Amino acid sequence: IIKARGLRQIFRFLTLFPIIKNNNIRIWGIGKKAVEYYSNLVTSDVRNFPYFLNICRFLNSESRNFSKKIKVLYAGKFNDRKGFDILLEYLENSENEFLNNFEFTLIGTGDYIKRVKKLSLRNNIEFVPFVERQAMPKYFSASDVFLFPGRYDGWGMVINEAMANGLIVVSTPYVGAVEDLIEDEKNGLVIEGDVKSIQSKLEWIISNRNQLQSISEKAKLSANLNDVVRGSKLFLNMIDDYSESI
């Protein structure tokens, strides 16, 4: 992961090198993390243009029942960059008595299939192989929490999708969308990306069931701010601003 990120940074710098001192060029960064990164490299204006999503097919108007077992979903590659090894370690080593408050669904493929299949022998852990993106709304709607302990992700569109459906997103600040969209314990939950922090937030969920519906509804509202219609308007406004400055 470290080598891959290092190579990406090198290639990114080489790409930007010809324009580093060109003040006439505007750079649009995808999210706060990108804006901060590019602002430290170039002297030109850097603006935030996050990912926008057509949220219509992810919307869920129904309220969730948080009084029963909490249904936790992970969907993504089974690899270290997505933090899936952290989630695996948590599930393999946590006390069953506490985990029985939850039902876990793990969707994906990748490096840890054997361990996932072994975990799925438990009554409260389900393994689902690769799912087409258009089928994901069904799994979102059947879940309460989206757990995504990513180590690094430039944005992570799945965060937008889960929030639009009203899921309680539990993720790290190392995922770009989390830094832009989530305020801890307001419209989602932020963890540090280790076993201890996962345990702490899942305990918080069990102890604060009465707050989960409010977080779910606020997540939907936050996702709506990144709807493609708003994105189109922002795009046109930014083009107009640039045109006027020429």
Side-chain angles (χ1 to χ4, degrees):
I1 294 174
I2 295 174
K3 289 182 179 179
R5 289 183 63 184
L7 287 173
R8 280 196 296 269
Q9 290 174 350
I10 291 171
F11 288 130
R12 193 178 293 135
F13 179 80
L14 291 174
T15 302
L16 289 170
F17 186 76
I19 63 172
I20 284 178
K21 300 299 182 180
N22 189 339
N23 292 324
N24 295 320
I25 294 178
R26 294 275 179 89
I27 294 178
W28 296 358
I30 300 173
K32 294 177 182 177
K33 285 185 179 296
V35 171
E36 180 181 2
Y37 174 82
Y38 291 124
S39 295
N40 290 328
L41 284 179
V42 303
T43 57
S44 57
D45 185 34
V46 182
R47 298 193 181 186
N48 187 357
F49 188 78
Y51 273 117
F52 291 91
L53 171 73
N54 184 356
I55 65 174
C56 293
R57 66 192 185 91
F58 297 100
L59 295 177
N60 180 9
S61 60
E62 296 183 8
S63 297
R64 286 173 163 83
N65 184 355
F66 292 107
S67 64
K68 299 180 179 180
K69 275 193 176 186
I70 301 294
K71 297 177 181 178
V72 180
L73 174 67
Y74 171 92
K77 290 287 185 68
F78 293 168
N79 61 28
D80 293 352
R81 185 169 74 86
K82 301 294 186 181
F84 187 71
D85 58 311
I86 301 169
L87 176 56
L88 268 185
E89 182 183 351
Y90 174 74
L91 293 174
E92 289 171 340
N93 297 293
S94 297
E95 295 181 2
N96 286 334
E97 183 177 354
F98 176 73
L99 290 184
N100 283 335
N101 290 297
F102 304 90
E103 293 178 356
F104 295 87
T105 300
L106 310 177
I107 300 177
T109 60
D111 304 333
Y112 297 101
I113 290 293
K114 289 184 178 179
R115 289 168 65 182
V116 172
K117 288 182 177 179
K118 184 177 179 180
L119 274 173
S120 68
L121 297 176
R122 300 183 187 178
N123 292 331
N124 64 333
I125 299 179
E126 179 186 11
F127 165 52
V128 179
F130 177 77
V131 172
E132 294 288 346
R133 190 166 180 265
Q134 57 265 30
M136 281 305 301
K138 177 182 73 172
Y139 290 94
F140 286 142
S141 296
S143 305
D144 303 311
V145 171
F146 185 74
L147 179 53
F148 192 74
R151 284 191 174 88
Y152 170 78
D153 208 311
W155 182 262
M157 188 63 78
V158 70
I159 302 295
N160 298 64
E161 296 169 351
M163 292 178 72
N165 194 271
L167 287 167
I168 311 292
V169 172
V170 181
S171 189
T172 70
Y174 316 119
V175 176
V178 173
E179 185 166 348
D180 275 53
L181 300 180
I182 294 182
E183 186 177 356
D184 190 34
E185 297 182 8
K186 301 295 184 182
N187 63 349
L189 300 172
V190 181
I191 58 175
E192 282 303 314
D194 54 47
V195 169
K196 184 177 180 181
S197 61
I198 291 176
Q199 175 69 21
S200 177
K201 283 303 184 185
L202 291 185
E203 289 177 353
W204 188 93
I205 286 172
I206 295 301
S207 300
N208 295 274
R209 291 177 185 265
N210 62 322
Q211 297 187 43
L212 300 183
Q213 191 60 54
S214 174
I215 293 176
S216 173
E217 293 303 319
K218 289 176 181 176
K220 294 178 185 178
L221 293 175
S222 297
N224 192 53
L225 296 176
N226 278 60
D227 178 65
V228 69
V229 175
R230 291 175 181 265
S232 300
K233 292 179 180 178
L234 176 61
F235 176 82
L236 294 175
N237 288 337
M238 291 173 73
I239 290 293
D240 288 341
D241 288 346
Y242 180 66
S243 300
E244 292 173 1
S245 68
I246 296 177

